[in-house]
Amino acid sequence: EAGVTQSPRYAVLQEGQAVSFWCDPISGHDTLYWYQQPRDQGPQLLVYFRDEAVIDNSQLPSDRFSAVRPKGTNSTLKIQSAKQGDTATYLCASSFGGRSDYTFGSGTRLLVI
Amino acid sequence: QQKVQQSPESLIVPEGGMASLNCTSSDRNVDYFWWYRQHSGKSPKMLMSIFSNGEKEEGRFTVHLNKASLHTSLHIRDSQPSDSALYLCAASTNSAGNKLTFGIGTRVLVRP
């Protein structure tokens, strides 16, 4: 079974630049999560979807971050104008039926300088 | 918002020794606790979950849960250098859509 695929693996930006992260969940998993993990900290939920619907985006900085999952499969997380404080690993995870036994992707490491 | 507190922040264990990690939630509605392990530069991988009072053992790993105090602990016996990693505790609540709320983790170093 293929796992959760994320790209790119790494991104280096200057402040003010935009970046998009892409996630392909496990086939058949209807629930998709985006987490932000600063260095040496635990993952913090940004947003999650059930199929194409946003279920919870309360922790997503809406002025600069956006996330979509238009067909209920792949998802894109975008940072419009990156800040140094956005430096972190961005993890995508998926599960079936909203179960908590997530499978995580390998993450995208973002460095904003 | 639910908080998950983990202790200690870091732990050094001799090879073959026992590592004991603690985790507490502030949300009385928590239904499940989860333990994930994250090796450096890798994604978190689920180790074990527990939802009922008592103890659960899988190989060298044992998890305890006290629902009254919302406290869970993870014990690793006969620790190996490959157990060196960040151990993340997470909690989920059925009424909140089962999304995982993670603690900051305990970094374990097993010294040969």
Side-chain angles (χ1 to χ4, degrees), chain B residues 38-110:
Chain B
Q38 186 177 24
H39 286 107
S40 182
K42 304 293 186 183
S43 61
K45 296 285 194 291
M46 193 189 77
L47 277 176
M48 296 175 72
S49 63
I50 190 165
F51 66 92
S52 55
N53 271 325
E55 177 181 300
K56 184 175 176 182
E57 182 177 329
E58 290 184 7
R60 298 183 294 108
F61 298 88
T62 302
V63 172
H64 293 268
L65 175 61
N66 181 326
K67 292 202 84 169
S69 60
L70 296 176
H71 177 263
T72 181
S73 58
L74 172 68
H75 305 273
I76 309 171
R77 63 175 172 82
D78 189 24
S79 296
Q80 302 298 307
S82 59
D83 294 327
S84 297
L86 181 68
Y87 288 79
L88 296 163
C89 175
S92 63
T93 306
N94 288 336
S95 62
N98 291 323
K99 61 187 179 187
L100 291 177
T101 299
F102 286 88
I104 64 169
T106 293
R107 188 162 296 281
V108 174
L109 176 63
V110 181

Side-chain angles (χ1 to χ4, degrees), chain A residues 1 12 17-18 20 41 111:
Chain A
E1 176 185 72
V12 180
Q17 288 186 310
S20 291
Q41 293 186 35
L111 174 63

Side-chain angles (χ1 to χ4, degrees), chain A residues 9 33 35 37 40-43 45 48 50 56 58-59 91 97-107 109, chain B residues 1 32 34 36 38 40-46 86 88 92-93 96-105 107:
Chain A
R9 289 298 307 273
Y33 308 83
Y35 280 80
Q37 186 176 23
D40 293 330
Q41 293 186 35
L45 181 68
Y48 82 100
R50 179 75 54 83
D56 184 350
S58 59
Q59 301 304 309
L91 293 165
R99 289 162 52 96
S100 301
D101 53 343
Y102 299 178
T103 300
F104 281 91
S106 53
R109 289 191 173 186
Chain B
Q1 187 177 0
Y32 281 81
W34 305 78
Y36 278 74
Q38 186 177 24
S40 182
K42 304 293 186 183
S43 61
K45 296 285 194 291
M46 193 189 77
L86 181 68
L88 296 163
S92 63
T93 306
N98 291 323
K99 61 187 179 187
L100 291 177
T101 299
F102 286 88
I104 64 169
R107 188 162 296 281

Side-chain angles (χ1 to χ4, degrees), chain A residues 5-107:
Chain A
T5 305
Q6 289 188 247
S7 64
R9 289 298 307 273
Y10 304 94
V12 180
L13 304 175
Q14 292 188 333
E15 277 200 315
Q17 288 186 310
V19 64
S20 291
F21 309 133
W22 181 80
C23 175
D24 186 8
I26 289 174
S27 178
H29 279 192
D30 55 356
T31 312
L32 184 147
Y33 308 83
W34 284 103
Y35 280 80
Q36 179 191 60
Q37 186 176 23
R39 186 177 176 84
D40 293 330
Q41 293 186 35
Q44 298 155 24
L45 181 68
L46 291 173
V47 59
Y48 82 100
F49 298 84
R50 179 75 54 83
D51 298 318
E52 67 277 5
V54 173
I55 303 300
D56 184 350
N57 62 358
S58 59
Q59 301 304 309
L60 193 69
S62 58
D63 57 333
R64 298 184 299 109
F65 285 63
S66 62
V68 295
R69 192 185 185 200
K71 296 183 180 179
T73 52
N74 302 336
S75 177
T76 303
L77 176 69
K78 183 174 183 178
I79 306 176
Q80 195 65 34
S81 177
K83 297 182 178 180
Q84 287 188 358
D86 299 331
T87 293
T89 297
Y90 290 81
L91 293 165
C92 178
S94 69
S95 71
F96 177 71
R99 289 162 52 96
S100 301
D101 53 343
Y102 299 178
T103 300
F104 281 91
S106 53

